[in-house]
Amino acid sequence: MVDLSGSIVKRYDALSGKDCCLSCGGAFSLAEIKAGDNCIDLGCGKGHDVLRMATLAVDGGMAWGVDISGGMLGAAARQAELMGFENVRFIRSGLEQIDLQSDLADVVISNCTINHSLKQEQVWHEIYRILKPGGQFVVSDIYSLDQVPEAFRNDPDMVAQCWAGALTKDLYMQNIKNAGFSESEILEESEPYDKGKIRVASFTVKGVK
């Protein structure tokens, strides 16, 4: 199996000090977050959505940000401290084995992150594990129109650039179902566009445990 972590960390550590948009959908805006909810953002980057979740999840709720990039997490923690948030935690962890307890979250979001993993079926099992029964996920990501050639999928730099790890739509949705989510729905979906050396589309998917 290709080791992606070094390339991903290198890219996103470098981007942590820049003002840029790394999202591909509206996961946060489409999630239903209430006071008291425990919320998790997978691939939280500089933590903007984590802080917005923490604002909504007052009165006992918590917001966790999970990322593999120390640079991103450092920027996120500094911003949370500057703004005086107390119900926020940031954790450095891969998504294939998330360093959080089971049945923890009312809401899990993620934005253009899961495609970085070559073990996406395992990531979805982890999302199912950390959600409480009745908890919801809202995930924005990309899918490839055709199967990505192995030469691209085996290139860590191309995967880190947020395209070569993309799966086809059918396989992406099958991974969600196999993790235990019996029903899921696509909330928004873009027209196909060129990304890297392939054709992709962005979409946002919601499901309940």
Side-chain angles (χ1 to χ4, degrees), residues 172-190:
Y172 199 105
M173 298 301 292
Q174 188 63 47
N175 282 340
I176 296 174
K177 184 176 181 179
N178 290 347
F181 297 102
S182 57
E183 294 185 10
S184 58
E185 59 177 318
I186 296 174
L187 302 180
E188 59 181 9
E189 188 169 5
S190 76

Side-chain angles (χ1 to χ4, degrees), residues 29 113 158:
S29 62
T113 298
M158 291 182 178

Side-chain angles (χ1 to χ4, degrees), residues 60-78:
M62 287 287 299
W64 285 265
V66 179
D67 208 288
I68 198 173
S69 165
M72 287 289 187
L73 291 173
R78 289 190 294 273

Side-chain angles (χ1 to χ4, degrees), residues 64-90:
W64 285 265
V66 179
D67 208 288
I68 198 173
S69 165
M72 287 289 187
L73 291 173
R78 289 190 294 273
Q79 186 66 17
E81 182 178 8
L82 180 66
M83 297 179 68
F85 280 93
E86 296 183 355
N87 62 333
V88 169
R89 299 289 184 273
F90 292 103

Side-chain angles (χ1 to χ4, degrees), residues 36-59:
D37 279 351
N38 287 334
C39 309
I40 300 170
D41 183 3
L42 302 179
C44 66
K46 289 183 277 190
H48 299 311
D49 284 345
V50 180
L51 301 186
R52 292 199 287 176
M53 291 193 301
T55 300
L56 296 175
V58 292
D59 299 328

Side-chain angles (χ1 to χ4, degrees), residues 3-107:
D3 183 7
L4 303 177
S5 58
S7 294
I8 293 172
V9 170
K10 180 180 179 181
R11 179 174 190 245
Y12 287 95
D13 278 356
L15 290 172
S16 66
K18 299 180 180 179
D19 186 13
C20 55
C21 178
L22 300 172
S23 65
C24 59
F28 167 79
S29 62
L30 295 171
E32 300 168 13
I33 300 171
K34 306 181 300 297
D37 279 351
N38 287 334
C39 309
I40 300 170
D41 183 3
L42 302 179
C44 66
K46 289 183 277 190
H48 299 311
D49 284 345
V50 180
L51 301 186
R52 292 199 287 176
M53 291 193 301
T55 300
L56 296 175
V58 292
D59 299 328
M62 287 287 299
W64 285 265
V66 179
D67 208 288
I68 198 173
S69 165
M72 287 289 187
L73 291 173
R78 289 190 294 273
Q79 186 66 17
E81 182 178 8
L82 180 66
M83 297 179 68
F85 280 93
E86 296 183 355
N87 62 333
V88 169
R89 299 289 184 273
F90 292 103
I91 298 171
R92 189 169 187 178
S93 174
L95 301 188
E96 297 84 2
Q97 190 171 354
I98 302 169
D99 190 17
L100 288 169
Q101 68 191 62
S102 300
D103 300 329
L104 172 64
D106 298 284
V107 180

